[in-house]
């Protein structure tokens, strides 16, 4: 399986009342800081807040490969804005996942 | 050949799910199972009063091996998941100690201790020009304590060179030196004399010094790698 390009999928779980606060933080701080580091924003999606359950906000980033991501990681972890964003964001979400996705090898399916 | 010796030391979130913590421990302890470049991988739970809980110690054959580790998919997929501030699965917390990544260059795996032994680690910010005197103090301390089976003092070069272990990218780091000590048991490590600290007080800048001690929980390939690596460096087994 070819591990490139990389899609980094963050799924952030928040209570419905925090949905807009987290989206605002992402728009104003999280997305700019990651784009400054070189990551490409593929999309940002949210489940509906009116279902009587937690809201999941899914942010997908893309970069060429792991060598490229390593350089981008250096950029964001040395950026004070990333530290500030992370501090605020971690107070809003109560769970979630971060997973790296690669092109699924459908061509290898018999 | 000059190896890289590396530590990652963390404070753990007290609310972190136990099952995820166990997975993080496993992923670091047995790192070589997924990333062959990681040598002599062991974890330890700090028993000293310092507010740091988890130690991952290991080594690399050289800078090239370390660079392969840095871009290995397992690193970004698994370690970053538990460690990076913006990951919703982060299990560690911010702390004031600046020891998330420290380490040094060393000729061969002089740091090696057999499985089950205990490590005591001193991290200190030495005043400029005091390194020789501090080194002499560490040697005197080892000579006076037969239970200290290993003593290794080195400059913390990794703190400012974490991208490849070689290229300096930060001006400074909190602790300038690392003093690794080895003991057969955790009790011996814990009971080690601290009388040297009085003599060292004038060498340490602004009192910046911490100590940790823990029992080694060694991982996949630890002993085999150590014996082979030490032979290749012409060193005797500890």
């Amino acid at each position: 399986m070819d591990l490139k390009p990389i899609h980094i999928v963050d799924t952030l779980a928040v209570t419905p009342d925090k949905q807009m606060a987290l989206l605002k933080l992402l728009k104003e701080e999280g997305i700019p800081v990651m784009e400054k580091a070189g990551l490409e924003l593929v999309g940002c999606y949210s489940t509906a807040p009116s279902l009587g359950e937690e809201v999941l906000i899914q942010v997908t980033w893309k970069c060429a490969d792991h060598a490229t991501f390593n350089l981008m990681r250096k950029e964001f972890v040395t950026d004070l804005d990333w530290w500030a964003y992370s501090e605020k964001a971690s107070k809003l979400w109560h769970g979630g996942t971060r997973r790296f996705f690669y092109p699924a090898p459908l061509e290898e399916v018999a | 050949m000059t190896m890289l010796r590396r530590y990652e030391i963390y404070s753990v979130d007290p609310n972190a799910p136990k099952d995820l913590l166990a997975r993080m421990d496993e992923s670091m302890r047995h790192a070589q199972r997924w990333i062959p470049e990681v040598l002599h991988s062991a974890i330890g739970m700090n028993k000293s009063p310092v507010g740091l809980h988890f130690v991952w110690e290991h080594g690399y054959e050289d800078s090239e091996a370390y660079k392969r580790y840095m871009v290995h998919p397992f690193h970004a997929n698994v370690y970053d998941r538990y460690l990076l501030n913006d990951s919703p699965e982060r299990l560690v917390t911010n702390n004031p100690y600046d020891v998330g990544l420290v380490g040094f260059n060393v000729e061969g795996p002089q740091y090696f201790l057999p499985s089950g032994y205990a490590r005591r680690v001193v991290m200190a910010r030495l005043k400029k020009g005091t390194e020789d005197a501090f080194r002499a103090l560490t040697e005197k301390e080892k000579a006076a304590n037969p239970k200290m089976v290993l003593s290794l003092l080195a400059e913390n070069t990794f703190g400012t060179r974490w991208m490849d272990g070689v290229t300096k990218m930060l001006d400074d780091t909190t602790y300038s030196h690392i003093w690794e000590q080895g003991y057969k048991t955790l009790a011996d490590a814990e009971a080690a004399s601290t009388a040297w600290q009085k003599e060292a007080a004038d060498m340490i800048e602004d009192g910046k010094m911490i100590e940790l001690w823990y029992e080694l929980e060694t991982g996949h390939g630890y002993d085999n790698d150590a014996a082979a690596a030490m032979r290749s460096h012409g060193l005797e087994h500890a």
Side-chain angles (χ1 to χ4, degrees):
Chain A
M1 182 167 159
D2 199 9
L3 301 188
K4 59 184 182 183
I6 301 170
H7 286 77
I8 304 161
V9 181
D10 283 348
T11 304
L12 312 172
V14 294
T15 53
D17 60 303
K18 290 178 179 163
Q19 180 202 30
M20 293 312 292
L22 184 56
L23 289 175
K24 183 175 192 297
L25 185 65
L26 277 165
K27 184 176 179 180
E28 294 178 356
E29 300 185 36
I31 291 170
V33 80
M34 298 305 265
E35 286 182 333
K36 189 167 40 162
L39 284 147
E40 175 191 342
L41 178 67
V42 175
C44 182
Y45 297 90
S46 175
T47 60
S50 54
L51 304 176
E53 59 188 22
E54 67 183 8
V55 170
L56 299 179
I57 295 172
Q58 199 164 73
V59 189
T60 302
W61 299 99
K62 183 181 179 184
C63 76
D65 52 32
H66 279 282
T68 307
F69 177 72
N70 188 42
L71 297 173
M72 291 173 176
R73 176 175 43 200
K74 182 189 78 170
E75 293 304 314
F76 64 75
V77 302
T78 54
D79 187 335
L80 292 178
D81 291 342
W82 176 78
W83 286 77
Y85 157 72
S86 302
E87 181 72 21
K88 293 174 198 167
S90 63
K91 288 182 170 64
L92 292 173
W93 66 55
H94 60 258
T97 58
R98 166 167 294 174
R99 293 292 181 272
F100 284 57
F101 288 81
Y102 311 97
L106 290 172
E107 70 282 1
E108 294 176 19
V109 177
Chain B
M1 182 182 288
T2 302
M3 295 182 69
L4 301 180
R5 172 63 161 161
R6 187 171 180 267
Y7 280 86
E8 293 193 16
I9 304 172
Y10 297 105
S11 49
V12 173
D13 184 344
N15 299 315
K18 296 284 181 283
D19 58 332
L20 288 185
L21 277 175
R23 276 198 245 164
M24 181 181 84
D25 294 358
E26 172 101 355
S27 70
M28 293 179 178
R29 177 177 182 174
H30 299 294
Q32 198 183 86
R33 189 173 283 163
W34 300 281
I35 311 178
E37 283 81 1
V38 182
L39 304 176
H40 317 135
S41 184
I43 61 169
M45 305 304 157
N46 178 41
K47 304 299 183 192
S48 84
V50 174
L52 293 163
H53 312 111
F54 179 85
V55 181
W56 178 30
E57 55 160 80
H58 50 281
Y60 299 89
E61 191 67 32
D62 52 27
S63 176
E64 291 306 311
Y66 178 59
K67 284 190 271 188
R68 289 195 296 278
Y69 156 81
M70 284 294 281
V71 301
H72 196 287
F74 192 83
H75 180 190
N77 272 272
V78 178
Y79 297 145
D80 282 359
R81 178 190 305 171
Y82 300 133
L83 302 175
L84 283 189
N85 299 37
D86 67 340
S87 167
E89 294 178 277
R90 190 183 193 214
L91 301 177
V92 300
T93 57
N94 295 343
N95 64 66
Y97 298 105
D98 189 24
V99 291
L101 209 168
V102 298
F104 51 87
N105 298 339
V106 60
E107 291 302 317
Q110 298 176 46
Y111 51 77
F112 179 77
L113 287 173
S115 297
Y117 275 46
R119 183 91 61 194
R120 186 166 176 134
V121 186
V122 177
M123 275 175 268
R125 184 176 182 88
L126 298 185
K127 291 178 184 170
K128 289 202 187 327
T130 65
E131 181 175 335
D132 289 346
F134 192 82
R135 184 177 301 283
L137 191 58
T138 66
E139 289 165 0
K140 190 170 84 173
E141 195 63 20
K142 181 170 187 306
N145 182 358
K147 290 184 174 174
M148 191 192 296
V149 298
L150 181 147
S151 174
L152 179 61
L153 176 71
E155 184 186 354
N156 172 22
T157 52
F158 235 116
T160 55
R161 296 169 171 83
W162 53 263
M163 265 303 274
D164 61 7
V166 175
T167 309
K168 192 168 183 180
M169 50 180 287
L170 298 173
D171 290 335
D172 200 9
T173 189
T174 302
Y175 300 107
S176 64
H177 286 76
I178 300 168
W179 177 17
E180 287 196 28
Q181 303 163 18
Y183 298 87
K184 274 193 175 176
T185 69
L186 184 62
D188 288 346
E190 190 159 11
S193 168
T194 55
W196 61 271
Q197 291 179 9
K198 202 172 199 176
E199 206 174 325
D202 288 343
M203 306 175 200
I204 295 169
E205 194 174 311
D206 300 329
K208 283 186 182 166
M209 189 203 73
I210 56 172
E211 280 195 276
L212 302 93
W213 52 86
Y214 51 91
E215 188 172 302
L216 289 183
E217 299 175 38
T218 58
H220 180 79
Y222 182 91
D223 289 303
N224 293 340
D225 291 345
M230 292 184 82
R231 275 197 305 275
S232 75
H233 292 291
L235 297 170
E236 288 184 25
H237 201 278

